[in-house]
Amino acid sequence: MVHEQEGLDRIRTRVSEFPGPVLPPGRNGASKSFFIEPDAEPEARRWGRTYWLPEARTFHNFLYAYSALFGIPSFVEEALLRQPDRFSIKRLPLTIRSTASFVLDAFGFDRRTGRERNVLYSPGPAIRHVHARSEGKARITDPAMAYFVAQLYLAAARGETEESGHFDYVKSFLHAGGYPFPQNRTDLQDFVSDVDRELAGNRQQKLWGHLQPTATALDVDFDCEDLIEFLPSQTAGHFTRFISQKGDSS
């Protein structure tokens, strides 16, 4: 645990150097809601079709991002302090559906109606509201939020031609939500590798057992071998041993 704390301190220092939010004046630093700038809409809609649609693809992206998060015990445990059942088999599909709605709003798709949106909404205010510090509940820390969204971005961009504008667009969600984020794709990949090297562990491995039921509830494919290819190396090793042990005990 001493080594883990030292690693966490190093990650916190690194994240403190990321570009941070620039929030306009208003309550809690920004207005409660705002639209995507009209000039950005055509590209945002194209990125939605390329990286996030159909909606099952966004569900899949979130499932992979949570899979990576479950390999970082310190990040999982801070989330569980906020909400003890957050990653339960019952709640995780609901969390993915609701959060996917905020993201798809920014790419021109309303998953509640199954149609394209006439106007696009930034997820920033929702991020800021849901993850704000409140009575009896701490704010999600900058490193945990940056790591989760980094993995979400990597899941979305996997197998597709890289577009720098798409990265900057996703980064803007975090900045508008009050969180720092890596400057570019190279910094993002280095950050993910650093977190994996410093903090990966199996203390919360039981949560990996919730992935298949969640995938079934969301009606998306779940392939363990494909997930292993996606996960960073240390986390992939822990996950591989977990599924091997499950197979041995069945």
Side-chain angles (χ1 to χ4, degrees):
M1 290 297 288
V2 172
H3 171 76
E4 183 178 23
Q5 184 59 52
E6 291 173 348
L8 187 56
D9 289 343
R10 285 191 286 270
I11 295 300
R12 286 171 176 158
T13 298
R14 174 160 191 174
V15 173
S16 71
E17 298 169 353
F18 289 162
V22 179
L23 301 177
R27 185 179 179 184
N28 295 326
S31 59
K32 286 186 177 181
S33 64
F34 55 84
F35 303 117
I36 297 298
E37 290 294 332
D39 291 349
E41 288 190 13
E43 285 190 314
R45 293 184 188 278
R46 188 182 77 248
W47 294 327
R49 292 188 291 269
T50 302
Y51 300 106
W52 300 92
L53 291 171
E55 66 177 353
R57 182 170 182 174
T58 296
F59 294 161
H60 193 267
N61 296 342
F62 270 92
L63 190 67
Y64 272 36
Y66 276 114
S67 301
L69 185 73
F70 294 161
I72 311 298
S74 59
F75 291 169
V76 171
E77 288 154 12
E78 72 166 74
L80 293 176
L81 284 174
R82 286 175 54 85
Q83 186 177 4
D85 69 338
R86 181 168 183 78
F87 305 127
S88 68
I89 291 174
K90 180 179 180 180
R91 181 167 292 278
L92 187 56
L94 302 175
T95 298
I96 290 176
R97 285 193 182 98
S98 62
T99 312
S101 294
F102 299 140
V103 172
L104 287 170
D105 282 347
F107 290 101
F109 184 79
D110 184 348
R111 64 160 298 271
R112 288 150 290 226
T113 64
R115 296 193 298 269
E116 284 199 0
R117 280 196 169 281
N118 293 326
V119 295
L120 278 60
Y121 297 90
S122 169
I127 293 170
R128 188 168 55 253
H129 172 73
V130 171
H131 296 287
R133 181 181 291 105
S134 59
E135 184 176 349
K137 183 186 290 187
R139 176 183 181 273
I140 291 292
T141 63
D142 291 350
M145 180 64 83
Y147 186 73
F148 179 76
V149 177
Q151 293 289 11
L152 181 62
Y153 172 82
L154 291 172
R158 189 172 180 231
E160 298 291 349
T161 301
E162 185 74 16
E163 291 194 41
S164 60
H166 177 236
F167 176 87
D168 291 338
Y169 191 57
V170 173
K171 178 171 64 178
S172 75
F173 303 164
L174 268 289
H175 284 183
Y179 285 91
F181 201 63
Q183 176 66 28
N184 52 48
R185 173 65 181 267
T186 300
D187 290 345
L188 180 144
Q189 191 64 64
D190 288 346
F191 168 62
V192 164
S193 297
D194 284 352
V195 170
D196 181 60
R197 182 179 61 255
E198 297 276 11
L199 301 176
N202 63 358
R203 198 162 63 242
Q204 294 292 334
Q205 65 176 358
K206 64 183 180 181
L207 295 175
W208 281 322
H210 298 180
L211 298 177
Q212 182 62 68
T214 298
T216 300
L218 295 172
D219 195 23
V220 298
D221 293 332
F222 178 70
D223 183 325
C224 285
E225 293 303 318
D226 185 65
L227 178 58
I228 290 168
E229 290 183 9
F230 169 76
L231 293 172
S233 60
Q234 299 297 319
T235 301
H238 289 300
F239 178 73
T240 300
R241 287 186 287 276
F242 169 76
I243 60 175
S244 176
Q245 292 163 6
K246 277 193 67 179
D248 290 342
S249 64
S250 61

